[in-house]
Amino acid sequence: MVDFARVQKELQECNRDFEVSGIRVVPKSEANLAHLLGTIPGPLGTPYEGGTFKIDINLTDGYPFEPPKMKFVTKVWHPNISSQSGAICLDILKDQWSPALTLKTALLSIQALLSAPEPDDPQDAVVAQQYLREHHTFLGTARYWTEAFAMTSSLDVEEKVKKLVEMGFPETLVRSALDSVGGDENLALEKLCSG
Amino acid sequence: MEEDYYMSGDSEEEEDYYSPDRDEESLDGLENDDTGAQWNPSKAFSSKVITKESLLAAQREDLRRVMDLLSVREHHARTLLIHYRWDVEKLIAVYVEKGKPCLFAAAGVTVVERLDPESSSTLMCIICMDDIPAEDVTKMDCGHSFCNHCWTEHFVIKIKEGQSKRIRCMAHKCNAICDEAIIRKLVSLRHPDLAEKFDRFLLESYIEDNKMVKWCPSVPHCGNAIRVENDEYCEVECSCGLQFCFSCLSETHSPCSCLMWELWTKKCRDESETVNWMTVHTKPCPKCHKPVEKNGGCNLVSCICGQPFCWLCGGATGRDHTWSHIANHSCGRYKEDTEKNAERAKRDLYRYMHYHNRYKAHTDSFKQESRLKETIKEKVSSLEARDSNLRDFSWVMNGLYRLFRSRRALSYSYPFAFYMFGDELFKDEMTNCKREIKQHLFEDQQQQLESNVEKLSKFLEEPFDEYTEEQVMQIRMQVLNLSVITDNLCKKMYECIENDLLGSLQFTIHPIAPYQSKGIEKAEELSVGWTQAPYNEKCQKAADQFKGRVI
């Protein structure tokens, strides 16, 4: 069984210092704490700057003694992240996992991975080749993907709010729901419906 | 050089002959100091059988040495030995060369000074994030403390993952291996079955992780393992009776090297030779792609599907054929390449068939002769029943064992020759000229061995129980003679293979099990000097000791 008491505590602690870290973890639905959504801001000074990256988190029964399963939902151009599936190649998510690590520290490590790619141990060979041989093109593509997939312009948000309000939800609730799931329209709707 | 070798072999052989006109009296004396004819297992055991019961004792020897040398506790010694794959010499070498801290760090052994016990009554476990009473918290050697509940969960998951041998501390980036006594104690409280599994993993590590120890490959498994002392390239017999090559765990196959034997069995199993035959004798139909065999006549062939095609090039054609022309088709010139390929395939196939037939013939003879054992026993008992001067019939059995031994060597010498003088393994190792010389040298030896083995077989098959005393003496003489000769010839053939043939290779090493004149060594049972009880007692003691310290 997943240790839900610990997951609860982790969520509280993580969201408490959201202002500092910019990292957020929320349950996809209140009923199931084993399926979560994490968001990390793209690190400054990288092509990912300004983007908000969503990460799908699944906790296995052995958590925290087994690593959480994490993958990018937001498309991202990075040597250690599959451009197709969002799978992440990171040692602490595999054999270097320690029960003393938390969801927040894992997300911080992923954020660190965004700033410091390891092209010698790639998840996506195509991206890694480009990173090594045509670094300039790599930076361009990574930036383009960040702008295209990881940035929700304010216009987008307004459109979503409008859409949800038209469905009959109060605007304040819609805004807070959208905010808590990192701007994902469908998740926000799910959240609004569930309560 | 090689010429000399051969000559000297020849002359020795002459000396070894017992000439039939030797004195009758001397023969009795000869029987006893004639090493070739005596069939006693070698006395200097270089391999040991490890049974379920003696596994603990076997491990214990190595653990003791390390514990004494480094003055560490048993679980530290085990962790070190598992890390160095139970190679005590290697471990000591690292210790001497790099010192204790380096040796320990690499294996994940931490021995820290005891810290003062925590003063507060409750501690926060950072795994479950709860406040835990101090008596439910356990501190590992590396200094990290977590609550017993979390430790247990961690251990259970690692044991289930099959990582019993290296369960690391839960702290991030802590490389320390957990104390096996604590693991045993905590896990057995909630999952006694897993604690047992854990113990078994640790015990079996001595076999699994040890280069010099291997499970006996018997099916169904006899439960034994074999430990060799010096050379891993040898052939052994387990106490269950199975003889095998220690290095590759397949049947004994010297003088073939393990690689040659693997390739040979694969080749015999595969249908690759059939495929070769098809390349030579058939062509695929251009329409339905079935292989078509040409059964004589002209080069206009038609497949059962109705498609006519040209036999020379395999291309589809029309149906009409004149003496100079096939309708709708002209394949032009003779194509040298394809012809050459077919030639080569044909040659390779014949070469393989040559060696395989001889290999097969000798293994078949070996099987036939194995049945001889019973009839020979009968013959001996009927001879013994006779009232005569002849009393000792050990020469019959000894001769038979010699026959078995040399027959095996002979049959495996064919796959050896197939690879030694073929293109597959050693194409670049020697020039054609040199290869030819070596091949002649080897084949001469092989031939001599072959003819003597056949002679030995012939004499042993004779109905000597019906013969007169005089005739039996004759047979006895022949069998004794031939036993010595075949033994020497086997020895020489192995020497030739080890020194002149495999020994001269430059790019590869093909170790083979040495020739054992007395047969494949039976591994000796490892003596059990102590039983399981003290071991468990010790674990318990270690656990108690620990309890006393931490809580």
Side-chain angles (χ1 to χ4, degrees), chain B residues 189-303:
Chain B
L189 284 179
R190 280 175 46 204
H191 307 274
D193 52 324
L194 275 181
E196 252 171 56
K197 196 170 165 186
F198 172 73
D199 273 336
R200 209 174 57 235
F201 269 123
L202 286 192
L203 269 179
E204 289 180 355
S205 147
Y206 183 73
I207 295 165
E208 313 270 341
D209 301 331
N210 195 333
K211 199 173 82 170
M212 302 311 260
V213 182
K214 279 176 185 163
W215 291 111
C216 167
S218 53
V219 179
H221 188 228
C222 62
N224 295 340
I226 303 289
R227 182 173 77 192
V228 296
E229 304 294 332
N230 308 314
D231 189 3
E232 55 179 310
Y233 294 101
C234 62
E235 295 173 335
V236 288
E237 183 181 320
C238 176
S239 59
C240 74
L242 184 77
Q243 297 184 334
F244 61 96
C245 166
F246 185 80
S247 172
C248 70
L249 298 179
S250 56
E251 63 174 277
T252 56
H253 54 68
S254 69
C256 266
S257 70
C258 295
L259 176 63
M260 287 173 174
W261 182 245
E262 192 194 330
L263 291 171
W264 179 258
T265 43
K266 192 161 172 289
K267 197 172 181 64
C268 296
R269 208 171 42 230
D270 272 7
E271 289 196 332
S272 60
E273 295 309 324
T274 324
V275 173
N276 265 344
W277 185 89
M278 297 203 321
T279 338
V280 179
H281 299 281
T282 71
K283 279 209 166 66
C285 163
K287 190 178 167 201
C288 68
H289 303 292
K290 279 202 187 81
V292 176
E293 186 186 4
K294 180 161 133 56
N295 50 6
C298 68
N299 283 328
L300 175 67
V301 186
S302 53
C303 173

Side-chain angles (χ1 to χ4, degrees), chain A residues 18-52:
Chain A
F18 169 71
E19 297 303 326
V20 188
S21 64
I23 287 179
R24 194 194 282 281
V25 183
V26 290
K28 285 205 163 170
S29 74
E30 293 296 339
N32 187 4
L33 278 178
H35 201 183
L36 309 153
L37 188 80
T39 46
I40 53 172
L44 302 181
T46 70
Y48 311 104
E49 182 177 340
T52 304

